[in-house]
């Protein structure tokens, strides 16, 4: 989560134009609930794309088939902040359907993509 400005919740300053921003969400799903998870996560994919995600992927761990990774991308930190502050009541059921099949809480991480050029400019 964020505090809707140019800082992360830990107070790290992020340029609003920095990006792309890649978000990864790790899910633990019991094998017997895989079909429910896939139905729910692809419904959530539609919500994410509508809300500004420009690229979305779902990956299954090679060594642990109960571990899934959802990856999605925003053009900039400002786009990510708009996404994280947007809450549509009708989407709550979609998010809850994903959470209902998870074992434990999903683990979120956010990353700024770095290229040789972007690092040279710092």
């Amino acid at each position: 989560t964020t505090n809707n400005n140019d800082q992360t919740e830990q107070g790290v300053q992020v340029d609003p134009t920095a990006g792309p921003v890649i978000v990864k969400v790790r899910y633990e799903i019991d094998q017997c609930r895989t079909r429910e998870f896939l139905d729910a996560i692809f419904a959530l994919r539609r919500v994410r794309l509508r809300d500004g995600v420009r690229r979305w992927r779902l990956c299954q761990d090679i060594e642990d088939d109960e571990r899934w990774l959802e990856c999605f991308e925003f053009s900039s930190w400002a786009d990510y902040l708009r996404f994280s502050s947007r809450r549509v009541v009708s989407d709550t059921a979609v998010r809850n359907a994903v959470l209902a099949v998870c074992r434990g809480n999903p683990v979120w991480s956010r990353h700024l993509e770095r290229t040789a050029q972007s690092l040279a400019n710092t």
Side-chain angles (χ1 to χ4, degrees):
T1 53
T2 64
N3 54 13
N4 287 330
N5 59 36
D6 58 353
Q7 294 183 7
T8 68
E9 58 197 17
Q10 288 81 25
V12 175
Q13 193 77 19
V14 181
D15 178 346
T17 64
V21 174
I22 294 93
V23 178
K24 296 180 179 184
V25 187
R26 190 182 78 221
Y27 302 95
E28 301 288 334
I29 307 297
D30 291 327
Q31 257 186 337
C32 63
R33 302 201 77 183
T34 299
R35 174 52 36 206
E36 288 174 86
F37 171 70
L38 292 174
D39 290 344
I41 200 73
F42 280 101
L44 184 57
R45 173 187 181 268
R46 287 188 293 277
V47 169
R48 297 211 196 283
L49 291 171
R50 181 204 66 207
D51 289 351
V53 165
R54 73 176 193 180
R55 184 180 305 158
W56 185 95
R57 294 176 299 289
L58 181 66
C59 306
Q60 186 177 27
D61 193 299
I62 291 172
E63 295 177 358
D64 181 353
D65 63 0
E66 293 188 343
R67 182 173 294 152
W68 294 82
L69 188 66
E70 178 190 21
C71 305
F72 48 100
E73 182 177 313
F74 298 90
S75 297
S76 68
W77 183 250
D79 287 344
Y80 169 76
L81 291 176
R82 276 190 291 280
F83 162 83
S84 63
S85 66
R86 179 184 172 129
R87 293 290 175 247
V88 177
V89 173
S90 62
D91 297 338
T92 301
V94 175
R95 287 184 182 85
N96 287 344
V98 173
L99 295 175
V101 297
C102 290
R103 188 173 61 233
N105 291 321
V107 177
W108 287 67
S109 61
R110 299 164 300 169
H111 309 268
L112 277 175
E113 183 174 282
R114 297 297 192 195
T115 63
Q117 181 180 358
S118 69
L119 292 173
N121 295 333
T122 60

